[in-house]
Amino acid sequence: MPLNVFEERYRRLVADLLAGPEDRPRRFGVLAIRDGREVAPVRPGEGPAGPLDGLGTVTGDPLEAMHHIGCVADIASVQEQPDGRYELLVTGTTRFRLRSADTGGPYLTGEIEPIEEVPGEGAGALAAGVERAFRAYQKRLAGAREASTVGRQDLPDDPQVLSYLVAAASVFDTPVKQRLLACPDTAQRLTAELELLRRETAVLSWLPSLPAVDLTRQAFSPN
């Protein structure tokens, strides 16, 4: 997924990663916000945003405002722009659980625990059903957008990879995607996706003019 890094605190994060040894992995953690804004409000004359700016926390504890299960982003490429921004291409690699957060620096840091990927029972059979449901969902979604599907793209054979691709490419809101990310194993994620895809496909079939369909007028994005 491409990222445009423009806030000063996250530019500092990228600069710190680039300042390390070239053979050291350049990785950072991504967590969804429970309460607050993705971008800190602009405060003219008050300097750059602090690590908690934008988060809807009253007590100053960032654990209140963020979901605790996130994903490691591995930087595949980085381009620094003349105005100081960075354009990144990152790949999600490992899920993690946030155990604690430190607000003492220019950006949030924390202690994390990697989450092991477990297939679960019947993941292979479920994957076949999710693939069919996803194809049907794509067709209904294209109809709601008054667009046409472009060919038949191959989907991954690996049930785990398929489960994450479907979650990324479907038009679900953040709490739903967070629930999928937090599923304890691949089989449970695929089970939840099968139910969601069937439901959304049925809604698009019967009520193609729902206001929520406006979301589908944008290109698919894994954000």
Side-chain angles (χ1 to χ4, degrees), residues 19-34:
E22 289 188 4
D23 59 348
R24 187 178 72 182
R26 294 168 177 170
R27 298 169 179 160
F28 58 93
V30 178
L31 290 159
I33 299 173
R34 259 186 233 276

Side-chain angles (χ1 to χ4, degrees), residues 25 27 33 56 61 77 83 89 110-111 113 117-118 120 130 136 142 156 174 195-196 215:
R27 298 169 179 160
I33 299 173
D61 183 0
S77 67
D83 59 2
L89 185 64
E111 179 184 4
E113 174 189 356
E117 295 291 344
V118 180
V130 168
T174 297
E195 179 182 349
L196 286 165
L215 294 173

Side-chain angles (χ1 to χ4, degrees), residues 50-52 55 57 60-63 66 100-110:
L52 290 177
L55 295 181
T57 172
D61 183 0
L63 296 180
M66 297 187 298
S100 64
D102 185 351
T103 62
Y107 48 82
L108 285 172
T109 59

Side-chain angles (χ1 to χ4, degrees), residues 8 41-50 53:
E8 176 60 32
V42 177
R43 304 175 304 171
E46 296 187 29
D53 284 357

Side-chain angles (χ1 to χ4, degrees), residues 3 29 33 133 142 180 198 200 202 222:
L3 293 178
I33 299 173
L180 295 174
R198 286 172 173 171
E200 294 298 310

